[in-house]
Amino acid sequence: MDFMKLLRRNETALIIAIILLSIVIGLKSPEFFTLANLFDIFRSSFVQLLFALGVLIVIISGGIDVSFPAVGIFSGYTAVVLMRQFHWNPNNLMLPIALAIVIGIALGAVNAVAIASFGIPTLIATLGTSGIFRGLMLTFIGSSFISDIPVALDKFATADLLKIQPAHGTLARLHVLIIPIVIITVLVSLLLSRTMFGRSVYALGGGIEATRRLGISIKRTQAKIYMLVGGLSGLAGILYVSLQRKANPYDLTGSELDIIAAVVLGGASIMGGNGTVFGTVLGVLLISLIKGNLILLGVSGSWQRAAVGALLLIGITVQALNESKKAKNRRVATNDEAGE
Amino acid sequence: MKERLSKFNTGLLADRKITQLMAITALTFGYFSIVSKDIFFTSANFTSMSYQIPEIAILSIAVMLSMLTGGIDLSIVSISNAAALVAAWIMTGHISKSGYESNLWIVIACIAGIMVGLLAGAVNSLLVAKLNVTPILATLATMTLFNGIAIGMTDGVSVSGLPDQFMRVGNGTFFGIPTPFVLMVVIAFAIGVLINRTTLGLKVFLVGTNRKAAQYSVMGDRKVIAWVYLVSGFLSSLAGLIIASRTSAASPDFGSSYILLAIVVVVLGGINPNGGFGTVTGVILATAVLQMVSSGFNALRFSQFFYLVSQGGVLIFVMILNVVLERRRTSRSISKSLRS
C-alpha cells in the first residue's frame, strides 16, 4: 500500500493523536504509564464501545441515533427490576443479560417501525422515541435508585481475567469482559464487511435510490439495523448497570454526545457510506483517554465536556475539508475529460 | 358553493396546517377546561402559562429558522445558557453599585449576553455555511463545546441573585400583559416580517425547498444559511436572558429537555424538517398547545415524566400523520389525473 495513502487514513491520524496525547500525559505524570491505568481505560471503554458499535452501524447507513442511551438504561434497569420483582434466581448471570438484550431489541423495533415504515427522519424519530422510552421507564417501571442488584451481576463487576501486582504501585486488574467485547467487535466487523447485510448497510448510506435499484429492500435493511442497534444498546445497558453495581434510571443521559463524537472521530462520515470498526475502537479509546486522564494533565474536570466538544469540532471540520477537496478534485477530473 | 368556499379559504385559513393546529389548540383548551375546571381554567394558571410560553416559543422560532433551510440547530439551549451566564456574571459583579450605574451595567450585561449569542451563531454559520459541515453534526459539536465552556467557566455551579431591576423584566407586566409575552409577540412579528416580507426570507424558503436550484440561480445560498444560524444564535441569547430574568438565575445545564421540546413544537407547528415550509403562527400555536398540555397534566396531577412521554409521542404521532396524509394526497391526485 502507498505510504502517503496510509498516512492520510483516518485511523493513522487517530493512532498518532493517541500516541502524542499519551506521551504528553505520561511526561506530566508518570503514573499514566502503568498497567493499572491501561486496564482502567479498557474497563471504562467497554460500555462505550458497545454503544459506539451500534451508532457506527446507524451512521454508516446514513442515519443518526440519539435514543441508544435511553434504550440502554431502559433495558438495564428494567431487567434488574424484573429480576427482583419475580424473584428469579439472582445467581444467574445470563438471565438478566438475555432479558436486557430482548428488551433492547423490542425498543429497537419501535425505532424501526418509525423509521422504516413511516420514513420519519432518523434524528427526529429517535429524539421522540428517546423521550418516550425514558418517560415510560420513569413513570411505569420505577424512578428510584436500586443499589442491591442481583448477586451475579454485582459479582460480575469484579470478575477479573488476570490480576498483576507490580513490585510497587497499584494492583492492575483486567476485567473478564475484554474477551466477549473483543469477540463482539470482531463479529460486528465481519458482519459489516463480509455479509450481504453489512454491504447493504454501506450501500444504504451511499445512496437510497441506488440501493433500491440494486434490489435491496430498504425497509428490511433499516428494520434490521435498528433492531440490531437496540440489542447492542440493551447489552451495553445491562453491562453498565453491572459494572456500576447499581441501577440508576437517571444515568447515561447526555452520554450520546461522547459516543457519537467517538464514532465520528473514528472516521465514520455522517453522510453515510463510510466508517470502519477499527476507527471506532480508536475513537472510543481516544475519548476515554481524554475523559479519564485530563485531570492528570492538570486540567480541571469541569472542562472535560468542552474538550470533547472541541475534539469533535476538529474531527468534523477536517472531515468536511477533506470531503470538499475530494469533490473539487472530482470536478476538475470531469472538466478535464470534457475538455479533451 | 365551491366558489364561496374557496373565497373563505383565503387568508389565515388558507393554510391547511394552521387550520388543523387551531382546531387542536381549541380542542386541547376545551378538554382541559372541562376536565380540570378549578385548576386549569383559572386566571392564575393562564398568567403562569403566559410567563412560560415565551422562552420556549423564542427557542422554537430559532429552530424553525434553521429547519426552513433544511438544517437544524441543536445548540440553541447551550447558547441561551451561555449568554445568560455571561450576562448574570457581569450583573452580579456590579450589583452593589448605585441605582443608575447598576442599571447601566444591566444594559451592558444584556448586550454582552447578546454578543455571546451572535458569536456562537457565527461559529455555527462558519461551520455550516463556509465549511459545509452537516448541520446536525456541526451544531451537536458546538452544543457540546458551548455547554462545556459554560461548565468549565462556572465549575458547573449556577449564578443566582440577579439584581431586582433585571428581574422586573421577566416577572413584570407591560400594560397588564406579562412582559416576556410582549417580547415574544414583538420577536415573532419581527421574524414573521423577516421570512415573509424580505428577500432574505424568500431566499430562506428557496434554499430549503431546493438547495441545488438555489445554487444554480446564484442567490448566494451560503450567505442565506449563514444569516439563518446567526439569527438563531441571536434569538437563543434573547431566550436565555428572558429565562435568567424570570428565574433570577443562570446555570450551564438549565433546560436540557428544551431541545426535544423545541423540536416537538416546530414539527407540531407544521414546519417541514426537510426545509422549505413553515410559519411563525404555527410555531406559536404549537407552543401554546404544548404548554396547555403541560399545565393540564400538572393540574390533573400526572407525573412529570408522563409529560416527557407525551412530548415524544406527539412528535412521532405528528410525523406519522404527516406521512400518512401525504401518501394519501399523492395517491388521490395520481388517481384523479388518471381518470381525467
Side-chain angles (χ1 to χ4, degrees):
Chain A
M1 188 183 262
D2 195 352
F3 183 69
M4 282 312 283
K5 224 178 203 170
L6 194 69
L7 204 62
R8 227 179 288 144
R9 277 180 69 101
N10 216 316
E11 284 87 347
T12 325
L14 269 177
I15 292 174
I16 293 171
I18 290 178
I19 291 173
L20 277 181
L21 198 68
S22 304
I23 291 174
V24 171
I25 299 176
L27 284 178
K28 194 106 183 193
S29 67
E31 66 247 53
F32 177 77
F33 284 120
T34 55
L35 214 51
N37 194 32
L38 181 71
F39 288 171
D40 265 358
I41 293 173
F42 282 160
R43 188 188 163 103
S44 62
S45 314
F46 290 149
V47 173
Q48 307 250 355
L49 183 61
L50 278 181
F51 278 131
L53 288 174
V55 173
L56 172 73
I57 298 172
V58 173
I59 286 187
I60 290 176
S61 79
I64 192 161
D65 186 350
V66 291
S67 71
F68 61 90
V71 172
I73 199 67
F74 188 112
S75 316
Y77 186 75
T78 310
V80 170
V81 168
L82 283 176
M83 292 292 291
R84 286 160 49 95
Q85 191 75 28
F86 294 106
H87 303 290
W88 282 324
N89 182 10
N91 292 314
N92 192 338
L93 178 64
M94 282 306 143
L95 184 61
I97 293 180
L99 266 176
I101 294 177
V102 170
I103 296 170
I105 292 175
L107 297 181
V110 175
N111 277 337
V113 168
I115 291 165
S117 318
F118 291 102
I120 304 178
T122 50
L123 173 74
I124 291 177
T126 52
L127 207 59
T129 53
S130 104
I132 296 177
F133 297 156
R134 210 177 279 280
L136 281 180
M137 171 180 67
L138 292 169
T139 320
F140 296 112
I141 293 165
S143 54
S144 57
F145 177 95
I146 297 174
S147 55
D148 52 332
I149 59 172
V151 185
L153 282 178
D154 193 55
K155 266 192 194 149
F156 189 61
T158 49
D160 296 320
L161 184 65
L162 51 111
K163 290 181 193 174
I164 298 167
Q165 176 68 60
H168 39 77
T170 41
L171 179 68
R173 300 197 291 192
L174 184 63
H175 198 270
V176 71
L177 258 181
I178 187 114
I179 298 172
I181 296 285
V182 167
I183 292 174
I184 291 175
T185 311
V186 172
L187 279 181
V188 170
S189 171
L190 289 177
L191 181 75
L192 280 174
S193 57
R194 294 264 183 274
T195 64
M196 196 55 207
F197 168 70
R199 301 322 293 173
S200 12
V201 172
Y202 278 98
L204 194 60
I208 287 189
E209 195 50 47
T211 315
R212 191 173 288 134
R213 304 249 164 124
L214 277 176
I216 296 168
S217 163
I218 308 279
K219 285 186 179 179
R220 210 170 292 161
T221 312
Q222 272 184 331
K224 277 185 205 159
I225 291 171
Y226 287 95
M227 281 159 77
L228 174 64
V229 172
L232 277 172
S233 307
L235 177 61
I238 191 76
L239 292 180
Y240 176 82
V241 167
S242 166
L243 289 179
Q244 294 283 316
R245 307 174 79 169
K246 61 181 199 264
N248 181 2
Y250 298 96
D251 268 358
L252 289 177
T253 319
S255 63
E256 54 266 44
L257 285 169
D258 292 346
I259 288 157
I260 293 175
V263 174
V264 170
L265 281 176
S269 154
I270 198 82
M271 306 299 278
N274 257 318
T276 59
V277 169
F278 184 50
T280 301
V281 173
L282 290 175
V284 169
L285 280 179
L286 182 61
I287 296 272
S288 294
L289 193 67
I290 287 179
K291 287 188 70 169
N293 294 291
L294 217 54
I295 298 174
L296 291 184
L297 262 182
V299 182
S300 146
S302 44
W303 284 99
Q304 253 179 34
R305 207 174 153 78
V308 174
L311 206 63
L312 182 56
L313 208 59
I314 295 170
I316 56 175
T317 311
V318 169
Q319 227 181 60
L321 287 179
N322 276 342
E323 201 69 28
S324 56
K325 203 192 276 169
K326 233 183 266 167
K328 207 183 234 168
N329 285 345
R330 222 175 292 141
R331 215 176 305 139
V332 170
T334 31
N335 281 353
D336 285 351
E337 254 169 54
E340 276 172 7
Chain B
M1 179 66 200
K2 224 175 188 178
E3 220 167 278
R4 202 187 288 164
L5 247 176
S6 67
K7 214 179 254 172
F8 181 68
N9 256 343
T10 51
L12 202 55
L13 288 180
D15 191 337
R16 191 188 282 121
K17 285 198 166 142
I18 298 292
T19 328
Q20 279 169 6
L21 251 182
M22 282 174 140
I24 293 175
T25 317
L27 273 178
T28 323
F29 182 75
Y31 174 75
F32 284 117
S33 301
I34 292 166
V35 175
S36 151
K37 201 180 268 172
D38 44 345
I39 305 178
F40 182 82
F41 198 69
T42 54
S43 67
N45 181 43
F46 293 140
T47 318
S48 96
M49 282 199 323
S50 62
Y51 278 110
Q52 282 160 10
I53 287 178
E55 41 205 64
I56 312 253
I58 296 172
L59 286 175
S60 306
I61 290 175
V63 174
M64 178 195 84
L65 283 177
S66 50
M67 234 183 223
L68 283 179
T69 62
I72 196 165
D73 190 347
L74 298 172
S75 65
I76 45 162
V77 176
S78 295
I79 296 179
S80 84
N81 285 336
L85 269 173
V86 168
W89 188 56
I90 295 177
M91 270 179 226
T92 47
H94 300 273
I95 200 163
S96 55
K97 300 268 167 56
S98 62
Y100 173 74
E101 208 175 327
S102 138
N103 280 346
L104 190 69
W105 275 108
I106 289 175
V107 174
I108 292 175
C110 289
I111 292 173
I114 290 170
M115 293 307 282
V116 169
L118 286 174
L119 189 71
V123 174
N124 281 337
S125 295
L126 178 74
L127 285 171
V128 177
K130 183 85 186 151
L131 297 175
N132 263 338
V133 184
T134 327
I136 295 180
L137 250 196
T139 54
L140 204 62
T142 52
M143 165 178 149
T144 323
L145 184 68
F146 299 150
N147 185 238
I149 292 174
I151 293 177
M153 267 168 32
T154 57
D155 273 327
V157 197
S158 64
V159 180
S160 58
L162 302 185
D164 290 340
Q165 301 98 303
F166 181 62
M167 280 171 63
R168 228 172 278 151
V169 179
N171 296 295
T173 54
F174 187 79
F175 290 116
I177 306 165
T179 322
F181 200 80
V182 176
L183 285 173
M184 175 196 82
V185 171
V186 171
I187 290 170
F189 188 74
I191 297 295
V193 169
L194 177 76
I195 62 173
N196 292 321
R197 293 271 182 276
T198 64
T199 32
L200 178 67
L202 185 63
K203 283 179 184 171
V204 167
F205 282 106
L206 293 177
V207 169
T209 314
N210 192 337
R211 177 93 194 258
K212 222 62 317 124
Q215 250 162 15
Y216 282 124
S217 56
V218 206
M219 60 170 54
D221 55 319
R222 282 165 187 253
K223 214 187 268 174
V224 174
I225 290 175
W227 270 110
V228 162
Y229 285 91
L230 202 62
V231 175
S232 169
F234 171 69
L235 289 178
S236 310
S237 67
L238 286 184
L241 291 176
I242 292 177
I243 293 171
S245 106
R246 185 174 69 84
T247 60
S248 173
S251 103
D253 44 29
F254 182 83
S256 49
S257 61
Y258 275 14
I259 184 66
L260 170 62
L261 187 57
I263 291 174
V264 176
V265 164
V266 168
V267 170
L268 183 63
I271 281 84
N272 183 350
N274 300 320
F277 187 85
T279 54
V280 179
T281 324
V283 172
I284 303 285
L285 281 177
T287 317
V289 170
L290 281 168
Q291 187 58 50
M292 282 196 283
V293 171
S294 164
S295 302
F297 277 10
N298 257 336
L300 295 176
R301 306 215 177 291
F302 279 159
S303 134
Q304 173 100 54
F305 306 125
F306 197 70
Y307 181 48
L308 191 63
V309 181
S310 62
Q311 276 177 23
V314 165
L315 183 61
I316 301 287
F317 177 73
V318 171
M319 290 302 295
I320 289 180
L321 199 69
N322 281 348
V323 170
V324 171
L325 288 179
E326 189 64 50
R327 273 184 202 163
R328 208 158 85 205
R329 218 169 293 142
T330 353
S331 70
R332 201 178 286 166
S333 70
I334 288 174
S335 61
K336 203 194 245 169
S337 59
L338 282 180
R339 233 181 288 133
S340 61

